[in-house]
């Protein structure tokens, strides 16, 4: 931490699109946090980002940012195939770290990151920010208060039409199997599956079928799965990224009711039980990671435990790998 132990100074490693609105401003709006410096390989883009966001320093070399003595913590916002490489460097430097999701493209690499920070007793957070959003905390409140009785099953379907970028054949890391073996599933489904373990507890069994139906890129584009939570709740999911229409629907079935919601769309939450039907619209904050970042500050300055950390994110990586067949 900083010398006066009042401000934690962050460096953003990889100041791309995700940091423009979703995350970067959240660090600036959180009391007790300050963005000290940013890094991007393109010097013009790094300088432009720093200027627009009122940040004093910028780098083009990751090591310079990580080893800056005026930076106490690093937010890694690069593509997931570099998370382990940079994460281990941050751990070696002994600095607090937050990593964009998923923690890494594989369970084994996620485990390596988690265990390194754990051995060094350095805080490690992962940007599964839905665990901190009021919208999803309301669902957890309904579940924990028994609004649908005993939970029996959860089902999620996510689909979207083929994008113009995919049809063009132009390169994107999200559909490169070397970075994301299951393509958009790795990027998007990880959010939902991580949320489900937050709502319903860890998963002890998972399996799936995954393939490439369109042949437009090297990653897989269609996945279906089933899983079992440690509590005995069953789950199923299907994800297709070459469908006619966009759909994002989650249904949680209980012994006395049902909850319906979406992971990504701003649709109302729907609760049905013997008392009738309740619809709630809970708006996201302008900077969607704000609550996540604020809870990081709270966990670093008090006894409050952050809901998304290295351990929880590594479990999500294990579930993902089980579904696509990467874990023996």
């Amino acid at each position: 931490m900083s010398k006066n132990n009042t401000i934690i100074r962050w460096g953003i490693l990889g100041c791309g699109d995700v940091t423009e609105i979703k995350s970067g401003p959240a660090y600036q709006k959180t009391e007790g946090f300050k963005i000290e410096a940013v890094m991007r390989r393109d010097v013009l883009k790094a300088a432009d980002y720093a200027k627009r966001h009122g940040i004093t320093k910028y780098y083009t070399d990751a090591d310079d940012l990580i080893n800056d003595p005026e930076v106490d913590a690093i937010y890694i916002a690069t593509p997931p195939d570099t998370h382990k490489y940079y994460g281990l460097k941050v751990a070696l430097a002994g600095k607090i770290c937050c990593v964009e999701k998923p923690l890494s493209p594989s369970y084994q690499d996620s485990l390596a990151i988690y265990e390194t920070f754990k051995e060094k007793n350095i805080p490690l957070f992962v940007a599964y920010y839905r665990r901190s959003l009021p919208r999803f905390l309301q669902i957890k409140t309904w579940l924990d208060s028994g609004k649908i009785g005993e939970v029996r099953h959860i089902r999620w379907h996510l689909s979207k039409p083929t994008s113009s970028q995919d049809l063009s054949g132009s390169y994107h890391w999200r559909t490169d199997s070397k970075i994301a073996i299951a393509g958009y599933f790795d990027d998007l489904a990880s959010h939902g599956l991580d949320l489900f373990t937050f709502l319903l507890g860890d998963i002890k069994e998972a399996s799936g079928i995954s393939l490439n139906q369109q042949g437009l890129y090297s990653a897989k584009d269609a996945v279906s799965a089933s899983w079992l939570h440690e509590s005995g709740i069953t789950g199923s999911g299907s994800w297709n990224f070459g469908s006619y229409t966009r759909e994002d629907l989650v249904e949680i079935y209980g012994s006395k009711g049902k909850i319906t919601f979406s992971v990504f769309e701003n649709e109302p939450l729907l609760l049905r039980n013997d008392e009738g039907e309740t619809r709630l619209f809970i708006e996201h904050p302008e900077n969607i990671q704000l609550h996540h970042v604020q809870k990081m500050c709270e966990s670093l300055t008090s006894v409050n435990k952050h809901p998304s950390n290295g351990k929880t994110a590594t479990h999500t990586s294990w579930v993902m790998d089980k579904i696509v067949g990467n874990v023996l």
Side-chain angles (χ1 to χ4, degrees):
M1 291 189 183
S2 58
K3 293 178 181 179
N4 58 14
N5 287 330
T6 57
I7 299 295
I8 298 173
R9 301 164 300 183
W10 285 83
I12 300 181
L13 201 165
C15 48
D17 290 345
V18 72
T19 69
E20 287 286 354
I21 297 174
K22 288 184 176 181
S23 60
Y27 286 81
Q28 293 174 306
K29 292 179 179 180
T30 297
E31 185 176 356
F33 279 2
K34 175 189 177 184
I35 300 179
E36 182 71 23
V38 297
M39 174 268 165
R40 194 165 184 173
R41 286 176 295 180
D42 185 311
V43 65
L44 295 179
K45 290 181 178 180
D48 175 66
Y49 185 96
K51 181 180 180 180
R52 287 186 293 104
H53 292 273
I55 299 164
T56 306
K57 290 189 290 185
Y58 59 89
Y59 295 103
T60 57
D61 185 277
D63 289 339
D64 291 340
L65 176 73
I66 293 169
N67 296 308
D68 183 337
E70 295 183 336
V71 170
D72 309 304
I74 301 291
Y75 166 38
I76 299 174
T78 56
D81 63 320
T82 62
H83 289 179
K84 180 183 177 184
Y85 177 75
Y86 290 129
L88 296 184
K89 282 178 175 284
V90 174
L92 183 64
K95 296 188 176 182
I96 300 162
C97 189
C98 179
V99 184
E100 259 305 325
K101 45 63 56 187
L103 182 52
S104 84
S106 73
Y107 167 66
Q108 291 299 331
D109 283 353
S110 295
L111 186 63
I113 300 168
Y114 163 59
E115 289 184 338
T116 300
F117 277 87
K118 182 181 178 182
E119 288 169 5
K120 292 180 175 291
N121 196 29
I122 302 169
L124 172 63
F125 307 98
V126 182
Y128 283 116
Y129 53 83
R130 280 171 173 75
R131 289 173 173 249
S132 299
L133 284 172
R135 170 183 173 86
F136 301 110
L137 293 178
Q138 178 60 59
I139 295 171
K140 187 164 179 59
T141 296
W142 281 343
L143 293 170
D144 293 347
S145 60
K147 289 294 185 181
I148 63 170
E150 294 183 12
V151 181
R152 304 298 192 203
H153 183 76
I154 182 168
R155 177 174 65 183
W156 183 24
H157 175 72
L158 177 69
S159 62
K160 73 178 187 70
T162 308
S163 71
S164 57
Q165 182 180 36
D166 294 338
L167 288 170
S168 73
S170 59
Y171 177 81
H172 196 293
W173 66 262
R174 285 184 175 85
T175 52
D176 182 345
S177 62
K178 295 178 182 178
I179 298 175
I181 188 171
Y184 295 114
F185 173 82
D186 286 11
D187 186 39
L188 301 176
S190 58
H191 268 299
L193 291 167
D194 182 84
L195 175 64
F196 301 162
T197 63
F198 172 66
L199 295 174
L200 304 173
D202 282 353
I203 291 169
K204 67 177 183 178
E205 295 178 27
S207 61
I209 297 170
S210 56
L211 68 158
N212 184 311
Q213 292 180 329
Q214 301 176 90
L216 295 174
Y217 40 75
S218 61
K220 298 176 181 181
D221 60 13
V223 181
S224 63
S226 60
W227 63 87
L228 176 66
H229 291 266
E230 291 179 354
S231 59
I233 299 166
T234 56
S236 61
S238 54
W239 304 265
N240 194 286
F241 303 103
S243 295
Y244 171 70
T245 185
R246 181 177 179 87
E247 187 174 349
D248 176 10
L249 178 65
V250 181
E251 296 169 302
I252 303 179
Y253 298 86
S255 60
K256 297 181 179 179
K258 176 182 173 183
I259 297 171
T260 304
F261 64 98
S262 66
V263 174
F264 297 104
E265 304 299 327
N266 278 330
E267 298 292 334
L269 309 177
L270 179 60
L271 167 67
R272 294 192 184 99
N273 56 23
D274 290 342
E275 298 175 4
E277 182 175 289
T278 301
R279 286 179 179 267
L280 280 182
F281 178 75
I282 302 175
E283 192 172 2
H284 290 321
E286 177 187 8
N287 312 114
I288 203 163
Q289 291 196 23
L290 180 63
H291 297 287
H292 163 79
V293 174
Q294 289 175 336
K295 285 179 183 286
M296 287 200 307
C297 188
E298 292 171 9
S299 72
L300 292 170
T301 57
S302 70
V303 295
N304 293 337
K305 185 177 180 181
H306 196 278
S308 181
N309 51 58
K311 182 178 181 180
T312 61
T314 298
H315 177 68
T316 299
S317 292
W318 177 83
V319 175
M320 296 283 289
D321 269 16
K322 288 289 287 184
I323 288 172
V324 297
N326 285 351
V327 174
L328 298 178

